[in-house]
Structures are given as structure tokens and as C-alpha cells.
Amino acid sequence: MTVQLVDHNLSDQAVVRAARVSTVGQTHQSPDEAADRETGLINYLMRERHGSPFEHGSLTLYVEAPIFVFREWQRHRIASYNEESARYRELRPAFYLPTVGRNLVQVGKPGSYRFEPGTAEQFSTVDTELVTAYETAYRSYERMLSAGIAREVARAALPVGIYSSMYVTMNPRGLMNFLSLRTHREDAAFVSHPQREIEVCADKAEAIFASLMPATHAAFEANGRVAP
């Protein structure tokens, strides 16, 4: 799965500038002067959940992942999405298979369960059944296209394990909301239990976020990973 930075105008200084305008109006601090004082203010804003200063700026990511990951990601509506369309282009035969180490067995009831590793036999079963299903579905898709069936009809044969691509754009506040729900951290104020595949994508997005806004990311972590 791929998560790549395409464009951004993010900075910790933008958060500080937005916050200070409410008390001192327009400021003309140099970046160095702002950097010297930003950490405490950003931590205060995060702790007290003054969220609007974190809405200034945005980043755009390019994502390649299985469609079932996109369906979970796009439930987060504090973002803008443009996804590859199977109405207008033929999808490539690229499909998801769990990697070794991905827990396979769900133990417990919904709302109170855990995942445990699968056996070698279970991994073999998953690989065999998914590959068989993918090959059968894609052959049906290709036969319909060859018969002149519209792509928007033929795509109904494709499973959610096929890969798609999209651009997603969000501001830092929306990104922190996404990360708080789609990453698992035992020390978080509200521990989330996301599906592993979307967590892999979220971890990659978080690494980008941390590199662009280190003070904001540090405050996010220090305050229980709660979006302001």
C-alpha cells in the first residue's frame, strides 16, 4: 500500500499565527522568532482543544490501497477525495493479499475481541481462496468488457480486494481526527482498534505529518492523541 505526499502548505508557524491573531491582530514575527515560542502555545491549544488554529493549511496525499481500505477512509468526511473511477477506465488486476504476520483469527464478540495469528494452514487457505476468487472475478470482468459491456456495469464483478488510487486533501485538524481513530496506541486517551490495513496507511500518513509539523505532532501525542 502506498501513501505519498503530493503537496502541502503546512507548518507549526501557521498554527501559531492563526491563534495569535485573536489577541494581537496581524503579526510580523520572523519564522525564527515564532519557532522559539510556538511549542508552548501549540501544546496549550491542543490541551484545551482550541481546534480552529489547526485548520489552516492542508496536505494532499496520493494513496494506493484496496477498495475496502478506501471505504473505511472515506467515512472521515473532514477531507476532500478524488478516486480512480472504474466507470471511465479499466482497473488493473492488482489485488490485496495479507502479508505474513497479519493476524487472521478473531476471538471474542463484536466490541470486545482481539485478533490472533493464524496457522500456516490458515494462511495457505487465505492465499488460495483469495487468488481463486480474484482470478475468477477478473476473468468475468474482462469477458464483459470484451463483449462490449460498459465499464460501469462490468465493474460490479470486481471484489473489494482490488486496488484503487485516490488523492485525499485535509487540514491538520482533520488529519489528527483520522489518526486518532485509525491508529492503535495503548497510551492514547481513547484507544482505537482499527483494521490493520487502514492502520498501515494511517501510520504512513502520520510519518509525513510528523515531519512537516513536528511541534503539532508532539503536542498531539503528549495530549493523548485527541484531535482538538
Side-chain angles (χ1 to χ4, degrees):
M1 287 176 281
T2 299
V3 179
Q4 296 176 336
L5 179 65
V6 176
D7 196 10
H8 80 93
N9 62 345
L10 300 184
S11 70
D12 291 319
Q13 290 78 22
V15 177
V16 174
R17 182 172 61 243
R20 286 186 174 147
V21 74
S22 63
T23 57
V24 299
Q26 182 180 6
T27 62
H28 298 281
Q29 286 181 301
S30 70
D32 290 339
E33 290 173 330
D36 289 340
R37 303 176 59 188
E38 70 190 13
T39 301
L41 176 57
I42 289 174
N43 192 65
Y44 167 79
L45 295 169
M46 194 78 68
R47 184 182 68 245
E48 300 300 321
R49 304 194 71 187
H50 294 306
S52 59
F54 297 100
E55 295 177 5
H56 296 273
S58 66
L59 84 167
T60 297
L61 303 172
Y62 173 74
V63 184
E64 289 183 358
I67 284 176
F68 69 83
V69 171
F70 284 10
R71 296 304 165 263
E72 290 200 345
W73 195 323
Q74 291 169 358
R75 293 177 66 187
H76 298 268
R77 292 176 294 278
I78 316 173
S80 299
Y81 301 98
N82 281 92
E83 184 182 350
E84 179 178 357
S85 176
R87 291 187 66 194
Y88 304 119
R89 69 180 304 271
E90 182 177 343
L91 294 186
R92 297 166 291 119
F95 296 93
Y96 169 77
L97 289 173
T99 58
V100 175
R102 201 282 189 213
N103 291 341
L104 294 180
V105 180
Q106 181 176 324
V107 179
K109 300 178 180 179
S112 180
Y113 58 83
R114 66 185 185 279
F115 286 91
E116 296 181 351
T119 64
E121 182 179 2
Q122 287 172 322
F123 268 102
S124 177
T125 298
V126 168
D127 279 352
T128 299
E129 295 299 332
L130 286 179
V131 168
T132 299
Y134 291 156
E135 288 179 343
T136 299
Y138 201 79
R139 282 197 295 267
S140 295
Y141 175 63
E142 288 188 307
R143 284 196 295 268
M144 284 189 278
L145 294 179
S146 296
I149 306 300
R151 286 184 289 268
E152 65 183 49
V153 175
R155 65 177 175 172
L158 296 174
V160 294
I162 196 167
Y163 270 65
S164 186
S165 61
M166 71 173 176
Y167 290 103
V168 54
T169 299
M170 61 185 75
N171 65 41
R173 191 180 191 183
L175 178 57
M176 286 185 281
N177 175 265
F178 171 73
L179 296 176
S180 71
L181 295 169
R182 297 302 182 178
T183 57
H184 176 79
R185 302 289 190 275
E186 290 292 343
D187 59 347
F190 304 98
V191 180
S192 294
H193 300 276
Q195 183 167 335
R196 180 56 187 152
E197 287 74 17
I198 195 169
E199 185 178 25
V200 170
C201 292
D203 285 340
K204 293 179 179 182
E206 182 162 0
I208 294 170
F209 171 49
S211 69
L212 297 175
M213 301 182 73
T216 299
H217 179 260
F220 173 61
E221 288 210 307
N223 289 277
R225 298 178 65 84
V226 177

